[in-house]
Amino acid sequence: VTIELTVSGNTLCPPVTVQQTCVATDCPTVTIDLPPVEPICLGSTVGAMQLAATVTGGTGTVGTWSGPGTGANGMFNPNTAGVGVHTITFVYQENSSCSYDATMQIEVVAAPVADAGPDGEITCMDNQTSFELGVGNSTTGPSITYEWTAASGSFPADPNVLQPVVTVPGTYTLTVTNT
């Protein structure tokens, strides 16, 4: 396609003509597949991870990544992104005029807190025959599970509730999991 523009006016200068030629190129059908990433629990043991993209229908496979905590090379760092649901974008350029993109969501969740509460004693002197565990600031919510264990023997109450009442002396451990 050639475009010609002639500018003329009521002046002593002759008309000026400028031509520009361009070639229209069909863009190929390109598909980008971004495999989903399972929710990530934020914590000190979590490091950067390489994101993956599969490009089909084009002549190349390299693209550019962007989004919170994401480098252009596709390294996602949940510690940099922080807690939340993050939109990550992959952009693939086929030629100078054909650009394609795909997005994915990565959820970063806060690590659960396990707080068994203050140390306590079951004593005969105070006529105290039971003690409620787990009265601290443990994480709660619909996807949170609890597991109490005893240092020796089996746990003497329901091990899957946040605040069990025990009647047997012992050392107890609380594990909180975000499922």
Side-chain angles (χ1 to χ4, degrees), residues 2 10 34 65 84 136 166:
T2 301
N10 194 11
L34 304 179
W65 294 87
V166 295

mmCIF file of all heavy atoms in Angstrom, residues 2 10 34 65 84 136 166:
data_model
loop_
_atom_site.group_PDB
_atom_site.id
_atom_site.type_symbol
_atom_site.label_atom_id
_atom_site.label_comp_id
_atom_site.label_asym_id
_atom_site.label_seq_id
_atom_site.Cartn_x
_atom_site.Cartn_y
_atom_site.Cartn_z
ATOM 1 N N THR A 2 0.621 2.163 -0.880
ATOM 2 C CA THR A 2 1.381 3.413 -0.914
ATOM 3 C C THR A 2 0.434 4.559 -0.602
ATOM 4 O O THR A 2 -0.651 4.661 -1.175
ATOM 5 C CB THR A 2 2.018 3.637 -2.299
ATOM 6 O OG1 THR A 2 2.885 2.534 -2.578
ATOM 7 C CG2 THR A 2 2.818 4.927 -2.329
ATOM 8 N N ASN A 10 -1.076 28.764 -0.338
ATOM 9 C CA ASN A 10 -1.027 30.029 -1.055
ATOM 10 C C ASN A 10 0.297 30.737 -0.694
ATOM 11 O O ASN A 10 0.318 31.746 -0.020
ATOM 12 C CB ASN A 10 -2.254 30.871 -0.667
ATOM 13 C CG ASN A 10 -2.455 32.029 -1.617
ATOM 14 O OD1 ASN A 10 -1.820 32.099 -2.658
ATOM 15 N ND2 ASN A 10 -3.336 32.944 -1.231
ATOM 16 N N LEU A 34 -0.351 -21.020 29.570
ATOM 17 C CA LEU A 34 0.317 -20.747 30.841
ATOM 18 C C LEU A 34 -0.203 -21.754 31.860
ATOM 19 O O LEU A 34 -1.346 -21.659 32.296
ATOM 20 C CB LEU A 34 0.023 -19.324 31.328
ATOM 21 C CG LEU A 34 0.353 -18.178 30.373
ATOM 22 C CD1 LEU A 34 -0.030 -16.844 30.995
ATOM 23 C CD2 LEU A 34 1.818 -18.202 30.008
ATOM 24 N N TRP A 65 7.656 -11.379 30.528
ATOM 25 C CA TRP A 65 6.726 -11.492 31.641
ATOM 26 C C TRP A 65 6.641 -10.169 32.380
ATOM 27 O O TRP A 65 7.602 -9.405 32.408
ATOM 28 C CB TRP A 65 7.206 -12.555 32.614
ATOM 29 C CG TRP A 65 7.207 -13.947 32.068
ATOM 30 C CD1 TRP A 65 8.207 -14.552 31.361
ATOM 31 C CD2 TRP A 65 6.173 -14.918 32.186
ATOM 32 N NE1 TRP A 65 7.852 -15.839 31.035
ATOM 33 C CE2 TRP A 65 6.605 -16.095 31.543
ATOM 34 C CE3 TRP A 65 4.919 -14.917 32.789
ATOM 35 C CZ2 TRP A 65 5.829 -17.240 31.476
ATOM 36 C CZ3 TRP A 65 4.149 -16.060 32.724
ATOM 37 C CH2 TRP A 65 4.602 -17.200 32.074
ATOM 38 N N GLY A 84 -1.628 -11.915 48.447
ATOM 39 C CA GLY A 84 -2.708 -11.439 47.580
ATOM 40 C C GLY A 84 -2.808 -12.273 46.320
ATOM 41 O O GLY A 84 -2.058 -13.230 46.122
ATOM 42 N N GLY A 136 -4.361 -18.897 72.324
ATOM 43 C CA GLY A 136 -3.489 -17.832 71.811
ATOM 44 C C GLY A 136 -4.063 -17.202 70.561
ATOM 45 O O GLY A 136 -5.278 -17.103 70.385
ATOM 46 N N VAL A 166 -7.734 -30.580 78.013
ATOM 47 C CA VAL A 166 -7.024 -31.793 78.412
ATOM 48 C C VAL A 166 -7.111 -31.969 79.919
ATOM 49 O O VAL A 166 -7.206 -30.997 80.665
ATOM 50 C CB VAL A 166 -5.540 -31.768 77.956
ATOM 51 C CG1 VAL A 166 -5.444 -31.783 76.446
ATOM 52 C CG2 VAL A 166 -4.805 -30.569 78.522
#
